[in-house]
Amino acid sequence: EEEEEATLRELRIFLREICAKLARNRTFYIFTKPVDEEEVPDYREIIKEPMDLESMMTKIDKHEYECAQDFLHDIDLICTNALEYNPDRNPEDKVIRHRACTLRDTAYAYIKAEMDTDFEEKCRGIRDNR
Ligand SMILES: O=C(C1CCC1)N1C[C@@H]2C[C@H]3C[C@@H](O)[C@@H](O)[C@]2(C1)O3
């Protein structure tokens, strides 16, 4: 119905700002674009569902998120992909894993701080009844 569409429009505006704010943070630069298949030929043999912040911005515009929980599920995917593909004790892998955990924790903190729990509940109701 029309009120539900108004709620989802407001959700998309909110999620675009969260996504843009994360993408502006230079700590998260490595998460802003898909891993390049040519630079990393084995990546998609190991990581079955690649995800990145630019792809998430596109998913917002294609109405693929109906609540903040669904958005955070893709943030979690960016994080777990990075932990799984970069598991070693060498300093480069450790930096990537630290940044991945910081991305996840920052996204959860922004949404907790800036999203009304009643609004998220309303979005969950729309999602669960569709
Ligand atoms: O996992 C990632 C990205 C970090 C979060 C996503 N990559 C896999 C490669 C391993 C490591 C070093 C470079 O070879 C660079 O190409 C990548 C990109 O980082």
Side-chain angles (χ1 to χ4, degrees):
E1 59 170 280
E2 190 35 46
E3 190 190 320
E4 290 187 351
E5 290 315 308
T7 300
L8 293 177
R9 278 192 292 275
E10 188 174 348
L11 174 72
R12 290 194 293 274
I13 292 165
F14 173 77
L15 292 179
R16 286 189 191 97
E17 184 40 44
I18 298 291
C19 202
K21 193 167 171 171
L22 293 169
R24 289 197 294 269
N25 185 328
R26 69 179 64 94
T27 306
F28 308 141
Y29 175 73
I30 55 175
F31 306 113
T32 56
K33 301 279 184 187
V35 172
D36 188 317
E37 295 193 49
E38 280 157 38
E39 283 171 28
V40 194
D42 73 340
Y43 188 77
R44 284 160 181 77
E45 292 163 28
I46 294 162
I47 300 303
K48 296 309 172 191
E49 194 176 358
M51 189 49 62
D52 66 278
L53 293 172
E54 183 183 74
S55 298
M56 290 183 68
M57 191 68 88
T58 299
K59 286 183 72 169
I60 295 169
D61 292 345
K62 291 170 71 178
H63 300 192
E64 294 185 44
Y65 299 121
E66 292 180 302
C67 58
Q69 185 178 58
D70 292 346
F71 177 90
L72 288 171
H73 179 77
D74 274 352
I75 291 287
D76 288 336
L77 190 54
I78 293 176
C79 181
T80 54
N81 287 348
L83 301 183
E84 286 159 18
Y85 190 83
N86 305 281
D88 302 336
R89 77 136 317 269
N90 66 65
E92 295 76 17
D93 282 27
K94 287 186 174 175
V95 165
I96 288 170
R97 294 201 301 274
H98 187 271
R99 289 173 175 168
C101 294
T102 305
L103 173 73
R104 179 202 58 211
D105 294 345
T106 303
Y108 274 82
Y110 283 168
I111 286 174
K112 184 179 173 77
E114 294 170 35
M115 183 166 221
D116 187 309
T117 48
D118 289 351
F119 181 77
E120 172 65 0
E121 271 181 40
K122 194 170 183 185
C123 293
R124 301 264 181 96
I126 295 169
R127 179 195 64 182
D128 298 343
N129 286 279
R130 290 197 167 185

